[in-house]
Amino acid sequence: MRLSATARCIWWIPRWLNRFAYGLMDILQRESIPEMAALDGIDIATASGDLKTGILGEQRLRLYRRVSLVPYAERKPTGRLATRADTLADSLKGLSWIRCENYNATADDLAAYGLDKPSATVTSPPTPRRPIPQPDSGTVDSNTQSSDLTTANPQEQTFVLEIGGFTDGGYYARIQGSTMVYLIDSSLAQSLFNATYDSLRPTDVCLLDWDTVTSFDVTLDGQTYVFERSVKDVTGADGAVTQENIFLMNGTEVDSDLVNAVLDTIYGMASTGTTDETPGAAEIAFTFHRSTDTFTDISLTFYRLNSATCIAGFNGETGLTVARADVVSLTEAVNAILLQ
């Protein structure tokens, strides 16, 4: 059947309209966000004048000392190592524009979006590379600042993000100096507003890789006990000989399950906060000897602060607090071995 000219026009109208279904904000080219392969630290300035520098970097540095004492670039945190600082860093590295609100904002427009005086200005400088600790150093200087680090990749650029007011669907934001205004995720913006050392500090007390620990000393009530990891031959019912991992205390075999319970208790401990108070008497102390090239001897000491709190000292650095009930549980786990 041959369609009339009018019918042919009507049939083509929907297809013609579909070509104009997108608005200008849908088809314009958005600015690209620089790739942030690693975030060693960001600076956050707020409208109230508060300036927080080095957010992320210092938290990670403190975590490294309690984990494996190697730079973040050498070890990607996973599982327990994925701290709140890493979560925020990953969110910021994954930053994307929800949509473009204005491609040529005027000064009045910026004021309407809250970008004339941003709620927060986030600066991500080029990522410096921390020097790898050498075997003869044995420590990482907690006072290391950006000026002490090696030069960043010259191809990386400083990225400055300004965050304005809230609207349905997100927060207004722009790259500093740009006339293009976007929306970004509300949860990310809130995380940046609220980012502080305390909110991002790692809560884990000691995350040593126990596979690297060949022996450790425990000092309790003035007595020191030496635990060594060893193996022994076990002959099965079929006569086959296999090797079994065991622990020796002062040269005598002890229940490996009880020793592992001590290590599990340490691994599971979480700090309750920080303090500048001077530690009291040591309640229990550990020295771990490791089969590593660096940081072969690691000390962990729990000091009395008050009836409810202890201070954890890791490799001579104190500041984290832990519940005294957790330290009591740890002491009881050690006593379970001594009372065998």
Side-chain angles (χ1 to χ4, degrees):
M1 180 179 67
R2 186 179 180 84
L3 295 175
S4 66
T6 301
R8 288 197 300 272
C9 288
I10 294 174
W11 182 75
W12 275 102
I13 284 176
R15 294 189 177 186
W16 179 76
L17 288 176
N18 283 340
R19 296 183 181 181
F20 295 89
Y22 297 99
L24 176 61
M25 298 305 175
D26 297 310
I27 62 176
L28 60 83
Q29 182 175 354
R30 305 179 186 186
E31 295 165 302
S32 60
I33 299 172
E35 180 179 353
M36 293 172 276
L39 282 174
D40 197 62
I42 59 174
D43 299 338
I44 303 176
T46 64
S48 63
D50 184 26
L51 175 61
K52 295 170 282 190
T53 60
I55 292 293
L56 301 181
E58 179 62 18
Q59 286 84 342
R60 282 176 168 169
L61 183 58
R62 289 178 180 270
L63 176 66
Y64 308 147
R65 294 230 244 343
R66 294 199 295 282
V67 179
S68 58
L69 303 153
V70 296
Y72 179 75
E74 300 297 313
R75 181 186 183 102
K76 173 61 178 175
T78 58
R80 284 287 299 279
L81 305 187
T83 66
R84 288 171 288 187
D86 290 305
T87 299
L88 177 58
D90 288 342
S91 297
L92 188 54
K93 286 189 291 184
L95 172 68
S96 62
W97 311 126
I98 295 177
R99 66 172 182 265
C100 182
E101 289 291 301
N102 194 322
Y103 73 97
N104 191 23
T106 64
D108 290 341
D109 293 332
L110 293 177
Y113 297 133
L115 288 168
D116 56 334
K117 297 179 180 178
S119 300
T121 301
V122 181
T123 303
S124 171
T127 304
R129 293 176 175 82
R130 295 188 181 277
I132 298 176
Q134 299 302 311
D136 59 350
S137 67
T139 59
V140 176
D141 184 3
S142 61
N143 296 317
T144 297
Q145 302 297 325
S146 297
S147 60
D148 301 320
L149 307 180
T150 54
T151 305
N153 186 336
Q155 295 181 345
E156 296 181 5
Q157 298 179 346
T158 298
F159 174 58
V160 183
L161 176 71
E162 294 180 338
I163 305 175
F166 173 77
T167 186
D168 291 341
Y171 275 83
Y172 296 114
R174 70 165 181 164
I175 298 175
Q176 190 176 66
S178 173
T179 61
M180 300 184 74
V181 178
Y182 308 91
L183 282 187
I184 64 170
D185 181 70
S186 297
S187 60
L188 172 59
Q190 289 289 344
S191 295
L192 292 168
F193 294 154
N194 299 325
T196 63
Y197 175 78
D198 282 338
S199 70
L200 296 175
R201 64 176 174 82
T203 59
D204 299 290
V205 173
C206 179
L207 292 181
L208 288 177
D209 181 355
W210 298 132
D211 288 339
T212 68
V213 176
T214 57
S215 64
F216 62 93
D217 309 330
V218 182
T219 300
L220 178 65
D221 296 331
Q223 296 292 320
T224 298
Y225 307 90
V226 178
F227 291 83
E228 297 177 274
R229 190 191 301 271
S230 185
V231 294
K232 71 175 182 180
D233 292 336
V234 177
T235 303
D238 58 355
V241 178
T242 60
Q243 288 192 321
E244 178 182 295
N245 292 319
I246 62 171
F247 282 98
L248 305 175
M249 184 184 75
N250 296 340
T252 302
E253 183 178 350
V254 291
D255 189 331
S256 294
D257 290 339
L258 294 179
V259 177
N260 285 322
V262 171
L263 301 180
D264 289 344
T265 300
I266 293 174
Y267 191 87
M269 294 181 76
S271 70
T272 57
T274 58
T275 183
D276 294 327
E277 294 190 51
T278 302
E283 297 212 347
I284 188 169
F286 297 81
T287 301
F288 300 101
H289 309 288
R290 307 198 302 158
S291 58
T292 54
D293 294 331
T294 59
F295 307 102
T296 54
D297 297 321
I298 302 295
S299 64
L300 176 65
T301 306
F302 295 96
Y303 303 92
R304 179 75 174 269
L305 180 60
N306 52 49
S307 60
T309 305
C310 287
I311 295 177
F314 189 87
N315 249 22
E317 178 183 310
T318 58
L320 289 182
T321 59
V322 296
R324 188 163 186 273
D326 290 343
V327 177
V328 170
S329 296
L330 177 59
T331 302
E332 291 175 347
V334 172
N335 278 324
I337 303 173
L338 303 182
L339 295 174
Q340 270 192 296

